[in-house]
Amino acid sequence: MTLSSSSSNTTSDALAAFYDEAAQLLGDANVSRDHLTGNVKDQAGRDVYGDPFSAQDVNQPAGAVRPATVEEVQAIVKLANKHRVALWTVSRGKNLGYGGSGPVNGGVTVVLDLHRMNKIIEINEEYCYAIVEPGVSFFDLYEEIQRRELKLWPSVPAIGWGSVLGNTTDRGFGYTPNGEHSENQCGMEVVLPNGDLLRTGSGAMEDNKSWALYKGGFGPSFDGLFFQSNYGIVTKLGIQMTPAPEAYATIEIDVPREEDLVPLTATLSDLMRRSIILNSSSLANIFRIALTSRVPEVHARLAQYMKPGSFVPDDVLEEIRVEQKWGFWRSYFALYSSVEMLPGIIKTVQRAFSHIKGVNIVIREFAGEPGHYLSAPKDVGEEEIPHNGIPTIMPLGILNSRGGPGGAHTCFSPVIPPSGRELYDWYLTAKQRITDAKFDFFADFHVYPRYVVGIALVIYRLEEENGIYDLLDHLLHDGAQQGFFEYRTHVRYMDTVASKLKFNNSAHMRFATLLKDTLDPNGILSPGKSGVWNSEVVRATKALKAAAL
Ligand SMILES: Cc1cc2nc3c(=O)[nH]c(=O)nc-3n(C[C@H](O)[C@H](O)[C@H](O)COP(=O)(O)OP(=O)(O)OC[C@H]3O[C@@H](n4cnc5c(N)ncnc54)[C@H](O)[C@@H]3O)c2cc1C
C-alpha cells in the first residue's frame, strides 16, 4: 500500500473545469489536456510528458499547463486551489533516471511546466553569479556567458539540456568547484501554495544588493524548505559560479585493483578537505571505462553481453582492462589555480597518490599566462566530464548500449562516508545484487570532502522494467541496513526512502506533514514529492493498511 494509492480524489469534472479556466488564462496552446504533447522536446523530437524510461502508466500525468510569468503561476495556483487539482512542478522536466516529468500520483496530477519562463535575469561577472528563471537550461546560461565573453565557468551536469533551477532544487550537481548546486544556490523567489510571493535570504528586503551574495538573510533561513520539496514553486534562483582560472589541468588517475577503491577514495577526499582539489572527483569502474571508451573492438566485445538477461562477466572486463592497460577504477577531476600555483598542486597530487601500487596518472595541463583567464571553449575545448563547464548531451549515448536505441537507465544514489572503506563494502553488496539481477554495474561515484554519492547507474531496456523495480527494492533495503539513504530518488521510491527516516517516531516526516498542512492545506503542490503528503492522505493510508491486515 503506497501513500499515493489513497490520495486520488480529483474528479474528471474538476480537471476539465481547471483546464478550461487555465486555457482562458494561458491560451489553448499552453494547456495540454493529456500527457501526449507540450513537453520540452527530446533528442527524437518527442514532447510527451511522463517518465520516458517507463512503459507503465503509474507516473503518467493527466495533462500540463505552461505559464510564462510569475503572475500566471500565481493565477494557476489559485485555480488549482479552487478546483482541488494537484500540480507537479517541473522546470524543464528532464529529470531522467528519477522519473522525468512524471508525478508520484499518475493519472490525476497536472504538470506545472515552467520551461517558458526562460529569462536570465542577471549575470554578474565580478561576483560570479547568475539569477535565472526555471526554463533557463545549462546550455542557455553557458551560451549567454560566451556571447558576452564573460570570464566565468558555470557548472553543468553530465547532460546540459536540463534546467539550472530545476536541477538545483532537486539537489543535482555538476563538475566545477561550484558543482554542488544546492550549496551554491543563493537567493530564491517562490510562489507559495496560497499564491503569495516570497523572496528568501537577503531578497526579503526590497532592492537589497546582496540577494545572490549572502544566503543567510536575517532570522530564520527558508531556502532549505524548497529543495526536493512540495512547499512552493521556485520562480527565480541565484546560482554562484566558478571564475575562469588562469591555469588549469585535468587529471585522470587509474588504479589497477578492485580493492584500490579504498585508498583512491580516501586520498581524494583528504585532498578535498585540504582544499588542494577544489571540485568533486568522479569515479568510474572498468565497466564504465570500457563503455565510454573510443575503442571499437572493446565495444564489440561488450555488445556480445549487453542485452536483456545478461551482463558483462568480470573475467571479460579483466581481460579488456589488462589488454588496454586501464585501471579497475579511474578518478576524474581538475585543478583550477593561478599560473604560479599549478605546478606545485600537480606535484602534491602526484605525491599523494604515489602510495597506490600500479597507479597511473594522466595530466592534461593548461599552464596559462599571468593575468589571462582561460576561455573554456577557446583555450580548453569540450571534455568527457565537463570540468570546465561546457555543456553536452553526449552521455545520452550510453542508453543505446544495451541492445540498441530505446534504452533507459535508473540510478541508486546512496550517500556514504568518504574513507573508501564504507564505499567499498557497499559497492560489493550492490554489485552482487546488480549482477544477480543480470544487469551491469556502472559506477558513477562522486567524491566530496565529507561524503561520497555512490551512484550505481543501471542501463536497461523497457521490457526489463519490472526487474529494475525488484532490484531497486533490494538496493534500498540493503543501503538502509548499512546506514545509508539516497541523496535523490525516482518518484516511485519517494515513499520508500521517506519511510526509512524513523528517528524519534519519524519526527522528520511528522514535521514535514505539519508544514505541508499549514502551507498547502488543499494539497495542490506536488503531492508525494519526497514522501511528503497532507495528513488526511497519511491517515487514509494508515486506515487502508489496517483494513488490509
Ligand atoms: C546520461 C545522464 C547523465 C546525467 N548526469 C547528471 C549529472 O551529472 N548531474 C545531475 O544532477 N543529474 C544528472 N542527470 C539527471 C538529470 O538529467 C538532471 O539532473 C537534470 O538536470 C534534471 O532535469 P531538469 O533540470 O529539467 O529538472 P526538472 O525535471 O525540471 O526538475 C527536477 C525536480 O526538481 C523539482 N523542481 C523543478 N523545478 C522546480 C521549481 N521551479 N520549483 C520547485 N521545485 C522544482 C521538481 O521536484 C522536479 O521533479 C543525468 C541524466 C542522464 C540521463
Side-chain angles (χ1 to χ4, degrees), residues 88-96 114 157-159 162-163 165-167 169-170 172-173 175 232-234 395 409 488 529:
W88 182 262
T89 310
V90 303
S91 287
R92 291 181 63 82
K94 295 292 174 205
N95 213 6
L96 302 182
L114 303 178
I159 51 171
S163 153
L165 186 154
N167 177 283
T169 51
D170 220 28
F173 57 82
Y175 300 87
I233 299 157
V234 183
H409 86 78
R488 182 177 178 190
K529 175 74 187 177

PDB file of all heavy atoms in Angstrom, residues 88-96 114 157-159 162-163 165-167 169-170 172-173 175 232-234 395 409 488 529, ligand 1:
ATOM      1  N   TRP A  88       2.208  19.248 -10.514  1.00  0.00           N
ATOM      2  CA  TRP A  88       3.553  18.678 -10.302  1.00  0.00           C
ATOM      3  C   TRP A  88       4.541  19.619 -10.980  1.00  0.00           C
ATOM      4  O   TRP A  88       4.600  19.702 -12.207  1.00  0.00           O
ATOM      5  CB  TRP A  88       3.645  17.272 -10.906  1.00  0.00           C
ATOM      6  CG  TRP A  88       4.974  16.617 -10.670  1.00  0.00           C
ATOM      7  CD1 TRP A  88       6.019  16.568 -11.546  1.00  0.00           C
ATOM      8  CD2 TRP A  88       5.397  15.926  -9.489  1.00  0.00           C
ATOM      9  NE1 TRP A  88       7.076  15.894 -10.978  1.00  0.00           N
ATOM     10  CE2 TRP A  88       6.721  15.488  -9.717  1.00  0.00           C
ATOM     11  CE3 TRP A  88       4.797  15.648  -8.264  1.00  0.00           C
ATOM     12  CZ2 TRP A  88       7.445  14.775  -8.763  1.00  0.00           C
ATOM     13  CZ3 TRP A  88       5.515  14.944  -7.319  1.00  0.00           C
ATOM     14  CH2 TRP A  88       6.822  14.509  -7.568  1.00  0.00           C
ATOM     15  N   THR A  89       5.325  20.355 -10.178  1.00  0.00           N
ATOM     16  CA  THR A  89       6.199  21.392 -10.733  1.00  0.00           C
ATOM     17  C   THR A  89       7.432  20.791 -11.393  1.00  0.00           C
ATOM     18  O   THR A  89       8.157  20.006 -10.770  1.00  0.00           O
ATOM     19  CB  THR A  89       6.678  22.333  -9.603  1.00  0.00           C
ATOM     20  OG1 THR A  89       5.547  22.759  -8.853  1.00  0.00           O
ATOM     21  CG2 THR A  89       7.416  23.527 -10.169  1.00  0.00           C
ATOM     22  N   VAL A  90       7.680  21.179 -12.637  1.00  0.00           N
ATOM     23  CA  VAL A  90       8.980  20.898 -13.264  1.00  0.00           C
ATOM     24  C   VAL A  90       9.455  22.175 -13.942  1.00  0.00           C
ATOM     25  O   VAL A  90       8.650  23.030 -14.303  1.00  0.00           O
ATOM     26  CB  VAL A  90       8.940  19.746 -14.305  1.00  0.00           C
ATOM     27  CG1 VAL A  90       8.417  18.466 -13.696  1.00  0.00           C
ATOM     28  CG2 VAL A  90       8.149  20.120 -15.547  1.00  0.00           C
ATOM     29  N   SER A  91      10.765  22.281 -14.115  1.00  0.00           N
ATOM     30  CA  SER A  91      11.309  23.464 -14.781  1.00  0.00           C
ATOM     31  C   SER A  91      11.558  23.177 -16.255  1.00  0.00           C
ATOM     32  O   SER A  91      11.102  23.899 -17.124  1.00  0.00           O
ATOM     33  CB  SER A  91      12.591  23.909 -14.087  1.00  0.00           C
ATOM     34  OG  SER A  91      12.258  24.497 -12.850  1.00  0.00           O
ATOM     35  N   ARG A  92      12.293  22.106 -16.553  1.00  0.00           N
ATOM     36  CA  ARG A  92      12.406  21.640 -17.936  1.00  0.00           C
ATOM     37  C   ARG A  92      12.034  20.157 -18.039  1.00  0.00           C
ATOM     38  O   ARG A  92      12.007  19.588 -19.126  1.00  0.00           O
ATOM     39  CB  ARG A  92      13.808  21.902 -18.503  1.00  0.00           C
ATOM     40  CG  ARG A  92      14.067  23.402 -18.715  1.00  0.00           C
ATOM     41  CD  ARG A  92      15.429  23.685 -19.301  1.00  0.00           C
ATOM     42  NE  ARG A  92      15.618  23.122 -20.615  1.00  0.00           N
ATOM     43  CZ  ARG A  92      15.195  23.678 -21.755  1.00  0.00           C
ATOM     44  NH1 ARG A  92      14.562  24.832 -21.715  1.00  0.00           N
ATOM     45  NH2 ARG A  92      15.408  23.099 -22.907  1.00  0.00           N
ATOM     46  N   GLY A  93      11.790  19.523 -16.894  1.00  0.00           N
ATOM     47  CA  GLY A  93      11.233  18.163 -16.896  1.00  0.00           C
ATOM     48  C   GLY A  93      12.180  17.086 -17.397  1.00  0.00           C
ATOM     49  O   GLY A  93      11.750  16.023 -17.822  1.00  0.00           O
ATOM     50  N   LYS A  94      13.489  17.339 -17.300  1.00  0.00           N
ATOM     51  CA  LYS A  94      14.461  16.367 -17.825  1.00  0.00           C
ATOM     52  C   LYS A  94      15.086  15.544 -16.702  1.00  0.00           C
ATOM     53  O   LYS A  94      16.262  15.176 -16.778  1.00  0.00           O
ATOM     54  CB  LYS A  94      15.567  17.110 -18.609  1.00  0.00           C
ATOM     55  CG  LYS A  94      15.059  17.804 -19.850  1.00  0.00           C
ATOM     56  CD  LYS A  94      14.611  16.786 -20.878  1.00  0.00           C
ATOM     57  CE  LYS A  94      13.957  17.438 -22.075  1.00  0.00           C
ATOM     58  NZ  LYS A  94      13.024  16.539 -22.761  1.00  0.00           N
ATOM     59  N   ASN A  95      14.299  15.251 -15.693  1.00  0.00           N
ATOM     60  CA  ASN A  95      14.853  14.555 -14.529  1.00  0.00           C
ATOM     61  C   ASN A  95      15.019  13.062 -14.838  1.00  0.00           C
ATOM     62  O   ASN A  95      14.475  12.190 -14.141  1.00  0.00           O
ATOM     63  CB  ASN A  95      13.928  14.777 -13.326  1.00  0.00           C
ATOM     64  CG  ASN A  95      14.699  14.846 -12.033  1.00  0.00           C
ATOM     65  OD1 ASN A  95      15.938  14.842 -12.039  1.00  0.00           O
ATOM     66  ND2 ASN A  95      13.998  14.881 -10.920  1.00  0.00           N
ATOM     67  N   LEU A  96      15.805  12.781 -15.864  1.00  0.00           N
ATOM     68  CA  LEU A  96      15.917  11.420 -16.388  1.00  0.00           C
ATOM     69  C   LEU A  96      16.602  10.504 -15.380  1.00  0.00           C
ATOM     70  O   LEU A  96      17.615  10.853 -14.800  1.00  0.00           O
ATOM     71  CB  LEU A  96      16.698  11.429 -17.706  1.00  0.00           C
ATOM     72  CG  LEU A  96      16.094  12.309 -18.798  1.00  0.00           C
ATOM     73  CD1 LEU A  96      16.912  12.221 -20.076  1.00  0.00           C
ATOM     74  CD2 LEU A  96      14.654  11.924 -19.066  1.00  0.00           C
ATOM     75  N   LEU A 114       7.385  24.845 -16.317  1.00  0.00           N
ATOM     76  CA  LEU A 114       7.827  26.248 -16.294  1.00  0.00           C
ATOM     77  C   LEU A 114       8.864  26.557 -17.375  1.00  0.00           C
ATOM     78  O   LEU A 114       9.567  27.559 -17.278  1.00  0.00           O
ATOM     79  CB  LEU A 114       8.389  26.573 -14.900  1.00  0.00           C
ATOM     80  CG  LEU A 114       7.416  26.326 -13.734  1.00  0.00           C
ATOM     81  CD1 LEU A 114       8.086  26.643 -12.401  1.00  0.00           C
ATOM     82  CD2 LEU A 114       6.151  27.158 -13.881  1.00  0.00           C
ATOM     83  N   PRO A 157      25.695  19.742 -15.333  1.00  0.00           N
ATOM     84  CA  PRO A 157      25.674  18.286 -15.119  1.00  0.00           C
ATOM     85  C   PRO A 157      26.196  17.570 -16.369  1.00  0.00           C
ATOM     86  O   PRO A 157      26.502  18.219 -17.374  1.00  0.00           O
ATOM     87  CB  PRO A 157      24.191  17.966 -14.903  1.00  0.00           C
ATOM     88  CG  PRO A 157      23.438  19.230 -15.043  1.00  0.00           C
ATOM     89  CD  PRO A 157      24.357  20.294 -15.538  1.00  0.00           C
ATOM     90  N   ALA A 158      26.244  16.251 -16.322  1.00  0.00           N
ATOM     91  CA  ALA A 158      26.796  15.499 -17.456  1.00  0.00           C
ATOM     92  C   ALA A 158      25.995  15.731 -18.729  1.00  0.00           C
ATOM     93  O   ALA A 158      26.541  15.649 -19.824  1.00  0.00           O
ATOM     94  CB  ALA A 158      26.846  14.015 -17.122  1.00  0.00           C
ATOM     95  N   ILE A 159      24.680  15.971 -18.603  1.00  0.00           N
ATOM     96  CA  ILE A 159      23.923  16.392 -19.783  1.00  0.00           C
ATOM     97  C   ILE A 159      23.314  17.764 -19.495  1.00  0.00           C
ATOM     98  O   ILE A 159      22.781  18.001 -18.420  1.00  0.00           O
ATOM     99  CB  ILE A 159      22.853  15.373 -20.223  1.00  0.00           C
ATOM    100  CG1 ILE A 159      21.964  14.958 -19.072  1.00  0.00           C
ATOM    101  CG2 ILE A 159      23.476  14.154 -20.859  1.00  0.00           C
ATOM    102  CD1 ILE A 159      20.789  14.128 -19.530  1.00  0.00           C
ATOM    103  N   GLY A 162      18.976  20.169 -19.211  1.00  0.00           N
ATOM    104  CA  GLY A 162      18.085  20.391 -18.073  1.00  0.00           C
ATOM    105  C   GLY A 162      18.138  21.838 -17.610  1.00  0.00           C
ATOM    106  O   GLY A 162      18.845  22.678 -18.166  1.00  0.00           O
ATOM    107  N   SER A 163      17.367  22.109 -16.556  1.00  0.00           N
ATOM    108  CA  SER A 163      17.228  23.466 -16.035  1.00  0.00           C
ATOM    109  C   SER A 163      18.221  23.718 -14.900  1.00  0.00           C
ATOM    110  O   SER A 163      18.371  22.876 -14.004  1.00  0.00           O
ATOM    111  CB  SER A 163      15.797  23.611 -15.509  1.00  0.00           C
ATOM    112  OG  SER A 163      15.733  24.561 -14.488  1.00  0.00           O
ATOM    113  N   LEU A 165      17.762  25.820 -12.558  1.00  0.00           N
ATOM    114  CA  LEU A 165      16.951  25.931 -11.338  1.00  0.00           C
ATOM    115  C   LEU A 165      16.374  24.566 -10.931  1.00  0.00           C
ATOM    116  O   LEU A 165      16.418  24.178  -9.763  1.00  0.00           O
ATOM    117  CB  LEU A 165      15.848  26.962 -11.588  1.00  0.00           C
ATOM    118  CG  LEU A 165      14.948  27.367 -10.438  1.00  0.00           C
ATOM    119  CD1 LEU A 165      14.388  28.773 -10.671  1.00  0.00           C
ATOM    120  CD2 LEU A 165      13.806  26.402 -10.178  1.00  0.00           C
ATOM    121  N   GLY A 166      15.849  23.810 -11.909  1.00  0.00           N
ATOM    122  CA  GLY A 166      15.235  22.509 -11.598  1.00  0.00           C
ATOM    123  C   GLY A 166      16.264  21.537 -11.052  1.00  0.00           C
ATOM    124  O   GLY A 166      16.030  20.842 -10.060  1.00  0.00           O
ATOM    125  N   ASN A 167      17.422  21.491 -11.687  1.00  0.00           N
ATOM    126  CA  ASN A 167      18.491  20.603 -11.225  1.00  0.00           C
ATOM    127  C   ASN A 167      18.902  20.980  -9.804  1.00  0.00           C
ATOM    128  O   ASN A 167      19.105  20.113  -8.945  1.00  0.00           O
ATOM    129  CB  ASN A 167      19.679  20.708 -12.192  1.00  0.00           C
ATOM    130  CG  ASN A 167      20.868  19.878 -11.756  1.00  0.00           C
ATOM    131  OD1 ASN A 167      21.593  20.273 -10.852  1.00  0.00           O
ATOM    132  ND2 ASN A 167      21.072  18.736 -12.396  1.00  0.00           N
ATOM    133  N   THR A 169      17.118  22.632  -7.458  1.00  0.00           N
ATOM    134  CA  THR A 169      16.111  22.347  -6.428  1.00  0.00           C
ATOM    135  C   THR A 169      16.025  20.846  -6.151  1.00  0.00           C
ATOM    136  O   THR A 169      15.586  20.439  -5.084  1.00  0.00           O
ATOM    137  CB  THR A 169      14.709  22.883  -6.800  1.00  0.00           C
ATOM    138  OG1 THR A 169      14.388  22.440  -8.100  1.00  0.00           O
ATOM    139  CG2 THR A 169      14.641  24.384  -6.739  1.00  0.00           C
ATOM    140  N   ASP A 170      16.457  20.007  -7.110  1.00  0.00           N
ATOM    141  CA  ASP A 170      16.457  18.564  -6.835  1.00  0.00           C
ATOM    142  C   ASP A 170      17.815  18.101  -6.291  1.00  0.00           C
ATOM    143  O   ASP A 170      18.101  16.909  -6.265  1.00  0.00           O
ATOM    144  CB  ASP A 170      16.077  17.777  -8.098  1.00  0.00           C
ATOM    145  CG  ASP A 170      15.155  16.603  -7.769  1.00  0.00           C
ATOM    146  OD1 ASP A 170      14.414  16.707  -6.776  1.00  0.00           O
ATOM    147  OD2 ASP A 170      15.186  15.584  -8.485  1.00  0.00           O
ATOM    148  N   GLY A 172      20.780  18.494  -7.612  1.00  0.00           N
ATOM    149  CA  GLY A 172      21.666  17.945  -8.637  1.00  0.00           C
ATOM    150  C   GLY A 172      23.057  18.549  -8.527  1.00  0.00           C
ATOM    151  O   GLY A 172      23.315  19.444  -7.720  1.00  0.00           O
ATOM    152  N   PHE A 173      23.952  18.061  -9.372  1.00  0.00           N
ATOM    153  CA  PHE A 173      25.349  18.500  -9.269  1.00  0.00           C
ATOM    154  C   PHE A 173      25.984  18.587 -10.650  1.00  0.00           C
ATOM    155  O   PHE A 173      25.530  17.965 -11.609  1.00  0.00           O
ATOM    156  CB  PHE A 173      26.156  17.513  -8.412  1.00  0.00           C
ATOM    157  CG  PHE A 173      26.087  16.115  -8.967  1.00  0.00           C
ATOM    158  CD1 PHE A 173      26.917  15.722  -9.995  1.00  0.00           C
ATOM    159  CD2 PHE A 173      25.148  15.214  -8.494  1.00  0.00           C
ATOM    160  CE1 PHE A 173      26.811  14.452 -10.545  1.00  0.00           C
ATOM    161  CE2 PHE A 173      25.036  13.938  -9.041  1.00  0.00           C
ATOM    162  CZ  PHE A 173      25.866  13.559 -10.070  1.00  0.00           C
ATOM    163  N   TYR A 175      30.298  19.774 -12.229  1.00  0.00           N
ATOM    164  CA  TYR A 175      31.675  19.285 -12.113  1.00  0.00           C
ATOM    165  C   TYR A 175      32.737  20.360 -11.900  1.00  0.00           C
ATOM    166  O   TYR A 175      33.920  20.056 -11.879  1.00  0.00           O
ATOM    167  CB  TYR A 175      31.999  18.446 -13.362  1.00  0.00           C
ATOM    168  CG  TYR A 175      31.051  17.269 -13.461  1.00  0.00           C
ATOM    169  CD1 TYR A 175      29.820  17.390 -14.098  1.00  0.00           C
ATOM    170  CD2 TYR A 175      31.354  16.064 -12.853  1.00  0.00           C
ATOM    171  CE1 TYR A 175      28.925  16.331 -14.145  1.00  0.00           C
ATOM    172  CE2 TYR A 175      30.474  14.993 -12.893  1.00  0.00           C
ATOM    173  CZ  TYR A 175      29.257  15.137 -13.542  1.00  0.00           C
ATOM    174  OH  TYR A 175      28.380  14.089 -13.564  1.00  0.00           O
ATOM    175  N   GLY A 232       6.516  24.951  -2.311  1.00  0.00           N
ATOM    176  CA  GLY A 232       6.469  26.177  -3.097  1.00  0.00           C
ATOM    177  C   GLY A 232       6.965  25.938  -4.511  1.00  0.00           C
ATOM    178  O   GLY A 232       7.502  24.871  -4.825  1.00  0.00           O
ATOM    179  N   ILE A 233       6.759  26.947  -5.346  1.00  0.00           N
ATOM    180  CA  ILE A 233       7.210  26.884  -6.744  1.00  0.00           C
ATOM    181  C   ILE A 233       8.300  27.937  -6.893  1.00  0.00           C
ATOM    182  O   ILE A 233       8.034  29.137  -6.750  1.00  0.00           O
ATOM    183  CB  ILE A 233       6.032  27.203  -7.688  1.00  0.00           C
ATOM    184  CG1 ILE A 233       4.911  26.179  -7.490  1.00  0.00           C
ATOM    185  CG2 ILE A 233       6.489  27.242  -9.136  1.00  0.00           C
ATOM    186  CD1 ILE A 233       3.554  26.686  -7.934  1.00  0.00           C
ATOM    187  N   VAL A 234       9.504  27.500  -7.145  1.00  0.00           N
ATOM    188  CA  VAL A 234      10.623  28.444  -7.229  1.00  0.00           C
ATOM    189  C   VAL A 234      10.585  29.106  -8.612  1.00  0.00           C
ATOM    190  O   VAL A 234      10.582  28.415  -9.637  1.00  0.00           O
ATOM    191  CB  VAL A 234      11.970  27.727  -6.997  1.00  0.00           C
ATOM    192  CG1 VAL A 234      13.116  28.735  -7.018  1.00  0.00           C
ATOM    193  CG2 VAL A 234      11.950  26.972  -5.666  1.00  0.00           C
ATOM    194  N   PRO A 395      26.616  12.087 -23.233  1.00  0.00           N
ATOM    195  CA  PRO A 395      26.452  10.868 -22.425  1.00  0.00           C
ATOM    196  C   PRO A 395      25.124  10.142 -22.629  1.00  0.00           C
ATOM    197  O   PRO A 395      24.988   8.984 -22.244  1.00  0.00           O
ATOM    198  CB  PRO A 395      26.576  11.376 -20.984  1.00  0.00           C
ATOM    199  CG  PRO A 395      27.393  12.604 -21.093  1.00  0.00           C
ATOM    200  CD  PRO A 395      26.980  13.238 -22.397  1.00  0.00           C
ATOM    201  N   HIS A 409      17.668   4.194 -18.215  1.00  0.00           N
ATOM    202  CA  HIS A 409      18.527   3.927 -17.062  1.00  0.00           C
ATOM    203  C   HIS A 409      17.846   4.376 -15.786  1.00  0.00           C
ATOM    204  O   HIS A 409      16.946   5.209 -15.788  1.00  0.00           O
ATOM    205  CB  HIS A 409      19.903   4.591 -17.205  1.00  0.00           C
ATOM    206  CG  HIS A 409      19.960   6.014 -16.732  1.00  0.00           C
ATOM    207  ND1 HIS A 409      20.040   6.367 -15.410  1.00  0.00           N
ATOM    208  CD2 HIS A 409      19.945   7.178 -17.400  1.00  0.00           C
ATOM    209  CE1 HIS A 409      20.079   7.674 -15.296  1.00  0.00           C
ATOM    210  NE2 HIS A 409      20.011   8.196 -16.488  1.00  0.00           N
ATOM    211  N   ARG A 488      18.785  11.389  -3.573  1.00  0.00           N
ATOM    212  CA  ARG A 488      17.750  11.772  -4.539  1.00  0.00           C
ATOM    213  C   ARG A 488      17.189  10.468  -5.074  1.00  0.00           C
ATOM    214  O   ARG A 488      17.931   9.493  -5.225  1.00  0.00           O
ATOM    215  CB  ARG A 488      18.480  12.523  -5.642  1.00  0.00           C
ATOM    216  CG  ARG A 488      17.708  13.101  -6.767  1.00  0.00           C
ATOM    217  CD  ARG A 488      18.722  13.840  -7.621  1.00  0.00           C
ATOM    218  NE  ARG A 488      18.157  14.429  -8.792  1.00  0.00           N
ATOM    219  CZ  ARG A 488      18.884  14.951  -9.779  1.00  0.00           C
ATOM    220  NH1 ARG A 488      20.192  14.937  -9.697  1.00  0.00           N
ATOM    221  NH2 ARG A 488      18.315  15.491 -10.824  1.00  0.00           N
ATOM    222  N   LYS A 529       5.899  14.363  -3.271  1.00  0.00           N
ATOM    223  CA  LYS A 529       7.313  14.660  -3.540  1.00  0.00           C
ATOM    224  C   LYS A 529       8.108  14.378  -2.266  1.00  0.00           C
ATOM    225  O   LYS A 529       7.744  14.845  -1.182  1.00  0.00           O
ATOM    226  CB  LYS A 529       7.461  16.134  -3.965  1.00  0.00           C
ATOM    227  CG  LYS A 529       8.895  16.611  -4.154  1.00  0.00           C
ATOM    228  CD  LYS A 529       9.541  16.085  -5.422  1.00  0.00           C
ATOM    229  CE  LYS A 529      11.022  16.447  -5.489  1.00  0.00           C
ATOM    230  NZ  LYS A 529      11.710  15.905  -6.672  1.00  0.00           N
TER     231      LYS A 529
HETATM  232  C1  LIG B   1      23.107  10.278 -19.005  1.00  0.00           C
HETATM  233  C2  LIG B   1      22.623  11.138 -17.877  1.00  0.00           C
HETATM  234  C3  LIG B   1      23.528  11.845 -17.110  1.00  0.00           C
HETATM  235  C4  LIG B   1      23.082  12.655 -16.048  1.00  0.00           C
HETATM  236  N1  LIG B   1      24.009  13.336 -15.327  1.00  0.00           N
HETATM  237  C5  LIG B   1      23.620  14.114 -14.300  1.00  0.00           C
HETATM  238  C6  LIG B   1      24.579  14.854 -13.555  1.00  0.00           C
HETATM  239  O1  LIG B   1      25.766  14.837 -13.852  1.00  0.00           O
HETATM  240  N2  LIG B   1      24.133  15.592 -12.508  1.00  0.00           N
HETATM  241  C7  LIG B   1      22.815  15.662 -12.174  1.00  0.00           C
HETATM  242  O2  LIG B   1      22.461  16.364 -11.217  1.00  0.00           O
HETATM  243  N3  LIG B   1      21.894  14.981 -12.879  1.00  0.00           N
HETATM  244  C8  LIG B   1      22.250  14.215 -13.931  1.00  0.00           C
HETATM  245  N4  LIG B   1      21.301  13.538 -14.657  1.00  0.00           N
HETATM  246  C9  LIG B   1      19.889  13.586 -14.204  1.00  0.00           C
HETATM  247  C10 LIG B   1      19.036  14.719 -14.830  1.00  0.00           C
HETATM  248  O3  LIG B   1      19.035  14.582 -16.229  1.00  0.00           O
HETATM  249  C11 LIG B   1      19.487  16.134 -14.467  1.00  0.00           C
HETATM  250  O4  LIG B   1      19.581  16.275 -13.068  1.00  0.00           O
HETATM  251  C12 LIG B   1      18.538  17.211 -14.989  1.00  0.00           C
HETATM  252  O5  LIG B   1      19.162  18.466 -14.876  1.00  0.00           O
HETATM  253  C13 LIG B   1      17.197  17.256 -14.226  1.00  0.00           C
HETATM  254  O6  LIG B   1      16.206  17.755 -15.062  1.00  0.00           O
HETATM  255  P1  LIG B   1      15.756  19.294 -15.049  1.00  0.00           P
HETATM  256  O7  LIG B   1      16.969  20.108 -14.805  1.00  0.00           O
HETATM  257  O8  LIG B   1      14.972  19.554 -16.285  1.00  0.00           O
HETATM  258  O9  LIG B   1      14.878  19.385 -13.759  1.00  0.00           O
HETATM  259  P2  LIG B   1      13.292  19.230 -13.627  1.00  0.00           P
HETATM  260  O10 LIG B   1      12.890  17.893 -14.144  1.00  0.00           O
HETATM  261  O11 LIG B   1      12.614  20.406 -14.170  1.00  0.00           O
HETATM  262  O12 LIG B   1      13.177  19.280 -12.049  1.00  0.00           O
HETATM  263  C14 LIG B   1      13.624  18.258 -11.223  1.00  0.00           C
HETATM  264  C15 LIG B   1      12.761  18.242  -9.964  1.00  0.00           C
HETATM  265  O13 LIG B   1      13.030  19.430  -9.212  1.00  0.00           O
HETATM  266  C16 LIG B   1      11.827  19.961  -8.679  1.00  0.00           C
HETATM  267  N5  LIG B   1      11.579  21.274  -9.295  1.00  0.00           N
HETATM  268  C17 LIG B   1      11.841  21.610 -10.576  1.00  0.00           C
HETATM  269  N6  LIG B   1      11.533  22.878 -10.793  1.00  0.00           N
HETATM  270  C18 LIG B   1      11.051  23.365  -9.641  1.00  0.00           C
HETATM  271  C19 LIG B   1      10.560  24.633  -9.260  1.00  0.00           C
HETATM  272  N7  LIG B   1      10.520  25.638 -10.129  1.00  0.00           N
HETATM  273  N8  LIG B   1      10.123  24.800  -8.000  1.00  0.00           N
HETATM  274  C20 LIG B   1      10.161  23.778  -7.113  1.00  0.00           C
HETATM  275  N9  LIG B   1      10.625  22.544  -7.417  1.00  0.00           N
HETATM  276  C21 LIG B   1      11.066  22.346  -8.675  1.00  0.00           C
HETATM  277  C22 LIG B   1      10.721  19.003  -9.034  1.00  0.00           C
HETATM  278  O14 LIG B   1      10.510  18.121  -7.966  1.00  0.00           O
HETATM  279  C23 LIG B   1      11.267  18.261 -10.237  1.00  0.00           C
HETATM  280  O15 LIG B   1      10.759  16.963 -10.337  1.00  0.00           O
HETATM  281  C24 LIG B   1      21.704  12.740 -15.737  1.00  0.00           C
HETATM  282  C25 LIG B   1      20.783  12.037 -16.532  1.00  0.00           C
HETATM  283  C26 LIG B   1      21.235  11.255 -17.598  1.00  0.00           C
HETATM  284  C27 LIG B   1      20.228  10.554 -18.445  1.00  0.00           C
END
